[in-house]
Amino acid sequence: MTGKKAVVILSGGLDSTTCMGVGKEAGYELYPISFHYGQRHDREIENAKKVASYFNVTEHKVFSLEFLKEIGGSSLTDQSMEVSQEGVGEDVPNTYVPGRNTIFLSIAASYAEAIGAEKIYVGVSAVDYSGYPDCRPEFIEAMQQTIYQGTNANPAMTIEAPLIDLSKGDTVKLGMKLNVPYHLTTSCYLGGEEACGECDSCRLRLQGFEEAGATDPIKYM
Amino acid sequence: MTGKKAVVILSGGLDSTTCMGVGKEAGYELYPISFHYGQRHDREIENAKKVASYFNVTEHKVFSLEFLKEIGGSSLTDQSMEVSQEGVGEDVPNTYVPGRNTIFLSIAASYAEAIGAEKIYVGVSAVDYSGYPDCRPEFIEAMQQTIYQGTNANPAMTIEAPLIDLSKGDTVKLGMKLNVPYHLTTSCYLGGEEACGECDSCRLRLQGFEEAGATDPIKYM
């Protein structure tokens, strides 16, 4: 352990759990944060807690962002909207939560500054993704500048997005190499005990394991 | 009214209330948002509500950001820390809340995208200010880029910081010209019925009215 701290935005899904493995491998003391933003199901948060305890972290914060439910504009937070299942297409799917990653990263930066962490890990990918604008390298670069300019940390903290150029298959290969506990993770937008296998998130996940030549350890309907 | 919408980050203080006047003058339908972030006193939120109703707005959202109290690191959110009263000096005062404006602006951008607003007004000033890093033009420019890259709004929304180059005196002159209800506002960090007149925020406010050759309509101890 380097004695240095890293904040990890941990959703309890495949990508963010892989980031926990990458941060640990890099020798950081991990400070995961999870967000309760009125997403359709609490399962994610339960999985995030299991992943955090698997990594034996010092502290795991779960922050309530109920205001995102009030803002709405996404099928993930507005129960009256149906979760799109048409696969990744031209338009941004209605599971996009307006500006979500900007909010997550700004809170992560505030927390990192308060605890003296030098890294913020975020599991965005711009290869196999649903087309969300806040998963692209251009966004991460702009957010990095905003954190440099908007915080008083010295040295300034930096964002690490280790999966941004990886396909889902490459992410799974990386995670398996690092013995990441995929059996503790969940990805399905519907949040049932068993994954639906049909929403965009399940499709991308299954594709990843197939590419990696591995079997997904979680249960499907 | 142009039929166009503008989100205004409204704290209930002098600067943000002036921004309400500027947005109204520009013909926007105003959508103020206020944040309850565990600041020392609720007075701000009560004042923000009075200002919002003075401007007869369609909607005034008050979002709870209790997580900022959990993050701590500032005398505004951590009751065990004493509010610095030594005036503006070399170091950033302990009233600085790590990355606060990045969080506020990212939530404003999410809300603006969800309701189709094209402007976000924020009352930061880099002239008479306490040295907070997230009140400077460089920060606003970086945040603007982050909003361009991180949201799906078309046309993209833009940040308006009409006071950024104004002294407190110039801000007060502008507000008086626009008949802004300064009697409904509060600035004091201690949040009493009567302002203390000694904290950094009170000093800057009093200095502003003096420069503008006007009398501050609120009560002081």
Side-chain angles (χ1 to χ4, degrees):
Chain A
M1 198 84 99
T2 63
K4 292 188 177 174
K5 298 177 184 176
V7 169
V8 184
I9 297 176
L10 175 62
S11 68
L14 189 134
D15 293 332
S16 61
T17 300
T18 307
C19 283
M20 291 285 281
V22 172
K24 185 183 168 203
E25 180 75 5
Y28 285 99
E29 194 184 343
L30 305 179
Y31 283 76
I33 53 175
S34 303
F35 299 112
H36 207 302
Y37 58 100
Q39 61 266 56
R40 281 184 169 251
H41 41 74
D42 290 349
R43 180 168 305 285
E44 262 194 354
I45 302 287
E46 291 321 307
N47 287 75
K49 287 176 183 169
K50 287 178 195 158
V51 170
S53 62
Y54 175 93
F55 280 93
N56 200 16
V57 299
T58 316
E59 190 173 69
H60 174 211
K61 294 270 190 190
V62 179
F63 291 139
S64 164
L65 309 186
E66 288 298 319
F67 59 82
L68 274 173
K69 220 166 26 180
E70 279 186 68
I71 288 178
S74 161
S75 64
L76 280 204
T77 50
D78 182 342
Q79 310 280 349
S80 68
M81 291 167 70
E82 237 191 280
V83 174
S84 60
Q85 309 234 354
E86 307 96 35
V88 181
E90 277 298 308
D91 297 329
V92 173
N94 71 9
T95 48
Y96 164 66
V97 177
R100 193 197 69 164
N101 288 349
T102 310
I103 293 171
F104 283 7
L105 281 162
S106 61
I107 296 169
S110 179
Y111 179 57
E113 181 168 7
I115 64 168
E118 61 175 55
K119 292 278 183 208
I120 299 169
Y121 281 88
V122 60
V124 293
S125 165
V127 179
D128 286 333
Y129 79 127
S130 299
Y132 302 152
D134 51 4
C135 286
R136 301 166 309 124
E138 303 89 326
F139 163 72
I140 294 293
E141 273 152 41
M143 189 73 213
Q144 179 64 76
Q145 275 311 309
T146 297
I147 289 175
Y148 280 153
Q149 298 291 352
T151 60
N152 195 37
N154 193 359
M157 63 202 86
T158 47
I159 300 173
E160 290 288 335
L163 317 181
I164 198 149
D165 297 323
L166 301 187
S167 69
K168 207 56 114 178
D170 291 337
T171 292
V172 171
K173 281 181 207 157
L174 173 60
M176 294 180 74
K177 206 179 87 193
L178 296 172
N179 290 314
V180 158
Y182 285 138
H183 63 289
L184 299 177
T185 65
T186 181
S187 303
C188 182
Y189 283 143
L190 306 194
E193 176 75 27
E194 294 169 352
C196 78
E198 278 159 23
C199 70
D200 292 349
S201 188
C202 278
R203 288 184 211 221
L204 284 175
R205 179 175 174 131
L206 286 168
Q207 180 190 308
F209 275 92
E210 199 181 313
E211 261 173 55
T215 312
D216 189 347
I218 66 168
K219 281 183 269 163
Y220 284 81
M221 287 179 192
Chain B
M1 200 88 92
T2 62
K4 292 188 174 174
K5 298 178 184 175
V7 170
V8 184
I9 298 177
L10 175 62
S11 68
L14 189 134
D15 293 333
S16 62
T17 300
T18 308
C19 284
M20 291 285 281
V22 173
K24 185 182 167 202
E25 179 74 5
Y28 285 100
E29 193 185 344
L30 305 179
Y31 283 75
I33 53 174
S34 304
F35 299 112
H36 207 301
Y37 56 101
Q39 61 265 57
R40 282 183 167 253
H41 41 73
D42 291 350
R43 181 168 304 286
E44 260 193 357
I45 302 289
E46 292 321 308
N47 286 74
K49 286 176 183 167
K50 287 177 193 158
V51 170
S53 61
Y54 176 93
F55 280 94
N56 199 17
V57 298
T58 317
E59 191 174 66
H60 175 211
K61 293 271 190 190
V62 179
F63 291 137
S64 165
L65 310 186
E66 289 295 319
F67 58 83
L68 275 174
K69 220 167 26 180
E70 277 186 71
I71 288 178
S74 161
S75 62
L76 280 203
T77 52
D78 183 342
Q79 311 280 348
S80 67
M81 290 167 71
E82 235 190 279
V83 175
S84 57
Q85 310 233 353
E86 307 97 36
V88 182
E90 275 300 304
D91 298 330
V92 174
N94 71 9
T95 48
Y96 163 66
V97 177
R100 192 198 69 166
N101 288 348
T102 310
I103 293 170
F104 283 6
L105 281 163
S106 62
I107 296 169
S110 179
Y111 179 58
E113 181 169 6
I115 64 169
E118 60 175 57
K119 293 280 183 204
I120 300 169
Y121 281 88
V122 60
V124 292
S125 166
V127 178
D128 286 332
Y129 79 126
S130 300
Y132 302 150
D134 52 3
C135 287
R136 301 166 309 124
E138 303 89 324
F139 162 72
I140 294 293
E141 272 152 43
M143 189 74 215
Q144 179 63 75
Q145 273 312 309
T146 297
I147 288 174
Y148 280 152
Q149 297 293 351
T151 60
N152 195 36
N154 193 356
M157 65 202 87
T158 47
I159 301 173
E160 290 288 335
L163 317 182
I164 197 148
D165 297 324
L166 301 188
S167 69
K168 207 58 111 177
D170 292 334
T171 293
V172 171
K173 281 181 209 154
L174 173 61
M176 294 181 71
K177 206 181 83 191
L178 297 171
N179 290 315
V180 158
Y182 284 139
H183 62 288
L184 299 177
T185 66
T186 181
S187 303
C188 181
Y189 282 143
L190 305 194
E193 176 76 26
E194 294 168 352
C196 77
E198 279 162 22
C199 71
D200 291 350
S201 189
C202 278
R203 289 184 214 227
L204 285 176
R205 181 176 173 129
L206 286 168
Q207 178 192 309
F209 275 93
E210 198 183 314
E211 260 174 57
T215 313
D216 188 346
I218 66 166
K219 279 183 273 169
Y220 283 82
M221 286 179 192

